[in-house]
């Protein structure tokens, strides 16, 4: 009988202690002290929804780190981190944002080929189609014909220029389009 009483007292104490740790962990989580929250939740195992909180806290740490990378213009790291938590918060949207900002950075630094590839991945996100066409135009303007070796690429350039005509000075784009056609004729 004494053994049962001691067992019940210990069980009650442990239950109370675990509940107290759980409440502290919840407070830490709500205060965005995720590392402390994770440690506390892990210490109480599968009590209530501790594992869910642990997973969410880990994702939040990654999400915040990805946002920091994005803020510091570390686009590749930001994209990689967002992809690790693709279904968390608005990570899919943030991946597009990071790719778009990276593509703009590349465009401004005259790395048109890589920028064009990123804008192509983004399809109609923001002004991606316009910038994709601008990249194509810049490559032509800079006379980087080594990037435009075969007719297929030239045909793609014509398509981009047609898109470009919709957004910018049609006269300039038509002149460039005529030059591309002349180049295509010479290649034939």
């Amino acid at each position: 009988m004494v053994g049962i009483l001691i067992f019940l007292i210990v069980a009650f104490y442990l239950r109370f202690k675990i509940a107290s740790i759980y409440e502290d962990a919840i407070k830490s989580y709500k205060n965005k002290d995720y590392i402390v929250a994770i440690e506390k939740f892990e210490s109480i195992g599968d009590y209530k929804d501790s594992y869910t909180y642990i997973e969410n806290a880990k994702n939040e740490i990654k999400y915040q780190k990805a946002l920091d990378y994005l803020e510091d213009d570390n686009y590749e790291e930001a994209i990689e981190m967002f992809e690790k938590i693709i279904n968390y918060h608005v990570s899919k949207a943030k991946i597009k944002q990071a790719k778009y900002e990276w593509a703009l950075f590349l465009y401004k630094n005259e790395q048109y080929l890589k920028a064009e590839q990123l804008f192509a991945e983004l399809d109609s996100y923001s002004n991606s189609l316009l910038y994709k066409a601008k990249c194509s135009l810049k490559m032509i303007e800079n006379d980087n014909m080594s990037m435009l070796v075969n007719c297929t690429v030239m045909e793609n350039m014509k398509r981009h220029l047609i898109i470009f005509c919709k957004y910018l000075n049609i006269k300039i784009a038509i002149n460039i389009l005529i030059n591309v056609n002349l180049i295509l004729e010479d290649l034939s």
Side-chain angles (χ1 to χ4, degrees):
M1 181 83 136
V2 173
I4 294 174
L5 185 59
I6 291 173
F7 174 77
L8 290 174
I9 291 171
V10 170
F12 178 75
Y13 172 77
L14 289 176
R15 186 78 167 160
F16 176 76
K17 182 72 174 166
I18 289 172
S20 175
I21 293 171
Y22 178 81
E23 291 303 318
D24 286 345
I26 294 287
K27 286 178 188 173
S28 296
Y29 182 87
K30 287 181 179 178
N31 290 330
K32 300 182 183 208
D33 192 357
Y34 299 115
I35 293 173
V36 171
I38 290 169
E39 290 171 0
K40 289 179 181 182
F41 283 122
E42 286 177 342
S43 74
I44 57 175
D46 64 352
Y47 182 76
K48 290 189 177 183
D49 50 0
S50 294
Y51 288 129
T52 301
Y53 275 106
I54 290 168
E55 188 65 29
N56 287 342
K58 288 178 179 179
N59 284 336
E60 191 61 36
I61 290 169
K62 291 175 188 170
Y63 184 76
Q64 292 303 321
K65 188 169 188 137
L67 289 177
D68 290 343
Y69 283 141
L70 188 57
E71 188 176 312
D72 294 339
D73 299 335
N74 293 327
Y75 305 110
E76 289 178 276
E77 291 88 351
I79 292 165
E80 185 178 316
M81 189 62 67
F82 283 128
E83 286 175 342
K84 288 180 181 178
I85 52 170
I86 194 90
N87 295 320
Y88 187 70
H89 275 309
V90 290
S91 293
K92 289 178 184 176
K94 288 294 185 182
I95 290 170
K96 284 188 174 188
Q97 177 189 348
K99 284 184 178 182
Y100 183 76
E101 289 182 20
W102 185 20
L104 285 176
F105 173 82
L106 293 169
Y107 177 81
K108 289 175 186 170
N109 287 287
E110 300 181 5
Q111 297 177 36
Y112 302 118
L113 185 59
K114 180 65 178 169
E116 182 187 43
Q117 292 167 346
L118 285 169
F119 286 127
E121 287 178 31
L122 294 167
D123 194 35
S124 60
Y125 180 82
S126 192
N127 290 329
S128 292
L129 292 175
L130 171 63
Y131 275 102
K132 182 180 174 201
K134 282 184 172 185
C135 288
S136 298
L137 181 63
K138 288 291 187 179
M139 286 189 285
I140 292 170
E141 284 177 351
N142 292 340
D143 198 30
N144 288 331
M145 289 305 174
S146 62
M147 292 181 205
L148 309 171
V149 186
N150 62 44
C151 294
T152 307
V153 174
M154 295 300 283
E155 287 299 327
N156 285 338
M157 290 299 177
K158 281 175 53 177
R159 193 168 6 99
H160 298 314
L161 284 170
I162 291 167
I163 293 170
F164 187 73
C165 288
K166 294 178 184 177
Y167 294 101
L168 202 64
N169 186 329
I170 293 175
K171 222 176 186 183
I172 294 171
I174 289 173
N175 285 334
I176 292 171
L177 193 55
I178 290 169
N179 289 332
V180 169
N181 279 331
L182 291 174
I183 292 168
L184 278 175
E185 287 175 11
D186 288 345
L187 289 174
S188 300

